[in-house]
């Protein structure tokens, strides 16, 4: 637990950076006197923005997120295994080969289905 | 010398924070000079000798800008998003040892280290994994189609490249048998740097970590989130003044911190030969210098790539990650695990 305290102090110190910059911007930032009608429009390369920006997006992002979750959960299991590998003989290797083998099959399936292919 | 842990955080945290902010400011000046040199220009040269005061002039200018919130934006999220990236990347330095020395028992002890966290690597990976949230918040809250598209791509890229990064980080974890970065450096001080002690595999793991870091820090060839020529300025397009400045500062800091992490994990951190036998203070000074030199070399290489290469398309980026880097990372982990079990390293 002792090791977390200095880290906590460091995180708190670091928070002062954006805080001071926000404060500085609030103190020194100018306020527009004569804003033109376009001042608060979204900047979309000079075109007048048409409708809200919250448009529909491609489902491929959703699939990438799904594949990511599978691998990310796997990473959580890999770390305790990696720590204790030394002097444990062959059994952990076989265990992990089976575990990763299942994951690799899943990966091959995703690749075959074109899950991360952009079209 | 053991300090009260609260005091320890303050005594080491404050210089590290100020130092890294100085590095961020200097880096923005240095990159402009460096890119100018590569393009046969002069670059900034008005403020201070060789224009070195330019970052401070920039910061002063940014502070004076009007703080605009675009019409229809999600005001709260738009306001708070720029505060997070800089915090999320600087706190990674809390577990990185910047120097070390051979203590009386003949082991390599960390010297300039804020916290010797037992799960240092997990702290680094999990906190840098949070980085996609503020970028997504910024892109979503801006009510700008370019920002939203950039945010989608940023998140897809950020989460995808986390996997190769984790796999690359597993290699030193398996070899050193420890999650603490300080003890990883200590292992390398006695057994040789990670890139050498594990022939070929160690170096490939470093390359994988380096590529994933480039992607996480949104640097060319993986700078989709910014992608000036396609997405205007990506997620930061609607931000004015110091808020866009915070995002830009974060990119410099992120590359520097990723270089420091790669140095600690693969290039022995502050370890250098010929230190044993010197007084502790001399060792600390020399090893801090060694750490800085190694980190700077990696840092320079990132910007060298940035100014001489092109940007991958968003789909090429995903294919590179999922078709090559992820399986490659699994193979590296398997090779490392077998070598360790056979007792080769």
């Amino acid at each position: 637990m002792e090791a977390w305290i200095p880290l906590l102090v460091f995180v708190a110190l670091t928070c002062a950076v954006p805080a001071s910059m926000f404060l500085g911007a609030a103190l020194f930032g100018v306020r527009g006197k004569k804003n033109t009608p376009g001042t608060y429009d979204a900047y979309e390369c000079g075109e007048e923005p048409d409708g809200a920006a919250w448009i529909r997006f491609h489902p491929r992002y959703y699939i990438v997120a799904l594949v990511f979750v599978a691998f990310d959960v796997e990473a959580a299991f890999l770390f305790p295994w990696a720590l204790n590998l030394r002097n444990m003989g062959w059994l952990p290797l076989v265990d992990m080969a089976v575990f990763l083998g299942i994951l690799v099959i899943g990966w091959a399936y995703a690749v075959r289905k074109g899950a991360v292919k952009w079209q | 010398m053991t300090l009260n842990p609260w005091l320890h955080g303050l005594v080491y945290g404050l210089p590290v924070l100020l130092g890294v902010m100085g590095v961020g400011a200097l880096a923005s000046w240095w990159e402009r000079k460096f890119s100018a040199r590569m393009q046969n220009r002069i670059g900034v040269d008005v403020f201070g000798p060789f224009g070195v005061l330019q970052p401070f002039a920039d910061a002063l200018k940014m502070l004076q800008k009007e703080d605009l919130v675009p019409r229809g934006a999600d005001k709260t999220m738009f306001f708070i998003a720029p505060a997070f990236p800089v915090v999320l990347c600087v706190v990674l330095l809390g577990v990185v040892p910047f120097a070390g020395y051979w203590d009386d028992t003949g082991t390599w002890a960390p010297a300039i280290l804020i916290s010797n966290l037992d799960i240092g690597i997990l702290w680094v990976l999990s906190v840098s994994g949070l980085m996609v949230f503020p970028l997504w918040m910024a892109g979503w809250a801006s009510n700008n189609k370019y920002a939203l598209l950039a945010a989608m791509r940023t998140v897809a890229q950020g989460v995808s490249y986390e996997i190769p990064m984790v796999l690359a980080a597993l290699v030193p974890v398996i070899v050193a048998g420890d999650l603490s970065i300080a003890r990883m450096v200590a292992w390398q001080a006695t057994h040789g740097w990670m890139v050498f002690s594990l022939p070929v595999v160690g170096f490939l793991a470093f390359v994988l970590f380096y590529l994933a870091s480039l992607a996480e820090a949104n640097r060319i060839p993986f700078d989709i989130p910014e992608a000036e020529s396609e997405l205007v300025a990506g997620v930061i397009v609607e931000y004015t003044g110091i808020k866009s400045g915070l995002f830009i500062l974060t990119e410099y800091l992120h590359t520097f911190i990723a270089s420091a992490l790669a140095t600690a994990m693969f290039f022995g951190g502050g370890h250098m030969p010929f230190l044993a036998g010197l007084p502790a203070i001399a060792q600390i000074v020399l090893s801090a210098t060694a750490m800085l030199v190694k980190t700077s070399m990696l840092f320079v290489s990132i910007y060298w790539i940035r100014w001489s290469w092109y940007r991958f398309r968003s789909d090429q980026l995903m294919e590179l990650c999922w078709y090559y880097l992820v399986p490659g990372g699994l193979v590296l982990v398997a090779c490392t695990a077998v070598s360790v079990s056979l007792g080769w390293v």
Side-chain angles (χ1 to χ4, degrees):
Chain A
M1 274 317 283
E2 189 107 305
W4 286 97
I5 296 173
L7 201 57
L8 197 71
V9 174
F10 187 53
V11 173
L13 283 176
T14 310
C15 289
V17 173
S20 63
M21 296 213 178
F22 276 40
L23 189 69
L27 287 177
F28 303 116
V30 295
R31 279 171 190 77
K33 293 196 182 92
K34 272 198 296 182
N35 286 330
T36 57
T39 303
Y40 295 103
D41 278 351
Y43 175 71
E44 292 179 355
C45 281
E47 294 288 323
E48 288 198 13
D50 182 15
W54 295 311
I55 48 180
R56 291 188 293 172
F57 56 87
H58 201 287
R60 67 198 176 195
Y61 293 110
Y62 169 72
I63 295 170
V64 166
L66 273 184
V67 181
F68 161 73
V69 168
F71 276 89
D72 209 34
V73 172
E74 161 248 342
F77 288 109
L78 277 175
F79 275 99
W81 167 80
L83 267 184
N84 299 309
L85 201 56
R86 212 174 266 280
N87 311 324
M88 288 270 280
W90 285 97
L91 192 61
L93 282 186
V94 176
D95 288 347
M96 194 42 79
V98 173
F99 179 66
L100 282 185
I102 298 170
L103 197 77
V104 166
I105 294 171
W107 171 80
Y109 176 75
V111 166
R112 242 184 109 80
K113 283 278 176 188
V116 294
K117 258 235 162 347
W118 256 219
Q119 42 220 341
Chain B
M1 181 175 64
T2 42
L3 286 168
N4 171 322
W6 296 92
L7 207 59
H8 180 97
L10 201 64
V11 166
Y12 286 90
L14 203 56
V16 168
L17 182 64
L18 293 177
V20 76
M21 286 299 142
V23 164
L26 260 183
S28 83
W29 164 78
W30 173 82
E31 192 200 3
R32 288 167 81 166
K33 278 308 232 190
F34 182 71
S35 61
R37 190 84 193 92
M38 286 181 80
Q39 297 170 342
N40 208 5
R41 297 183 281 116
I42 294 172
V44 287
D45 67 344
V46 175
F47 294 103
F50 305 106
V52 72
L53 295 180
Q54 187 66 39
F56 300 98
D58 287 344
L60 277 178
K61 189 189 83 172
M62 281 177 180
L63 280 174
Q64 295 170 37
K65 293 291 167 189
E66 186 178 357
D67 192 6
L68 283 178
V69 181
R71 185 181 297 124
D74 185 328
K75 285 199 180 57
T76 324
M77 257 212 260
F78 187 81
F79 183 80
I80 60 173
F84 291 108
V86 68
V87 175
L88 289 180
C89 92
V90 172
V91 295
L92 302 185
L93 283 180
V95 294
V96 178
F98 293 96
Y101 60 98
W102 296 106
D103 66 8
D104 301 333
T105 57
T107 47
W108 183 259
I112 308 173
L113 171 65
I114 294 168
S115 162
N116 190 1
L117 204 60
D118 287 334
I119 53 166
I121 280 282
L122 285 184
W123 166 262
V124 167
L125 292 173
S126 50
V127 172
S128 65
L130 292 176
M131 196 60 135
V132 295
F133 286 100
L135 293 175
W136 171 258
M137 280 159 74
W140 175 259
S142 293
N143 192 26
N144 181 312
K145 295 178 198 75
Y146 286 98
L148 184 71
L149 286 174
M152 299 279 180
R153 294 179 181 183
T154 308
V155 173
Q157 171 187 335
V159 298
S160 297
Y161 278 82
E162 233 179 277
I163 307 296
M165 187 172 228
V166 168
L167 293 175
L170 265 171
V171 170
V173 170
I174 293 175
V175 174
D178 213 310
L179 290 173
S180 147
I181 296 182
R183 286 199 287 274
M184 228 176 253
V185 173
W187 187 91
Q188 294 178 73
T190 39
H191 296 80
W193 298 357
M194 203 61 76
V195 281
F196 303 128
S197 64
L198 194 65
V200 187
V201 175
F203 184 74
L204 289 178
F206 159 69
V207 172
L208 190 65
F209 187 82
Y210 181 81
L211 285 179
S213 304
L214 282 186
E216 294 282 312
N218 306 325
R219 276 300 174 207
I220 279 180
F222 309 111
D223 74 330
I224 295 296
E226 203 179 324
E228 262 178 277
S229 48
E230 316 157 17
L231 292 167
V232 199
V235 295
I236 66 174
V237 59
E238 288 300 341
Y239 282 95
T240 57
I242 202 69
K243 289 188 177 168
S244 72
L246 275 172
F247 282 107
I248 296 165
L249 174 71
T250 306
E251 291 194 345
Y252 287 109
L253 296 181
H254 205 145
T255 41
F256 180 77
I257 290 164
S259 308
L261 282 169
T263 304
M265 285 160 61
F266 295 99
F267 288 96
H271 173 256
M272 61 180 272
F274 318 119
L275 279 183
L278 293 175
I281 190 75
Q283 290 191 45
I284 291 173
V285 171
L286 281 173
S287 78
T289 315
M291 176 80 179
L292 195 64
V293 168
K294 291 183 216 175
T295 305
S296 305
M297 282 164 80
L298 286 180
F299 185 73
V300 168
S301 73
I302 291 175
Y303 287 88
W304 192 356
I305 292 174
R306 181 178 188 201
W307 286 97
S308 43
W309 230 26
Y310 49 85
R311 172 186 313 127
F312 283 149
R313 229 169 44 215
S314 186
D315 59 328
Q316 294 170 331
L317 199 84
M318 304 304 281
E319 282 176 20
L320 175 70
C321 177
W322 288 106
Y323 289 1
Y324 302 102
L325 297 186
V326 167
L330 286 174
V331 171
L332 286 182
V333 169
C335 289
T336 316
V338 171
S339 323
V340 166
S341 293
L342 286 175
W344 288 346
V345 279

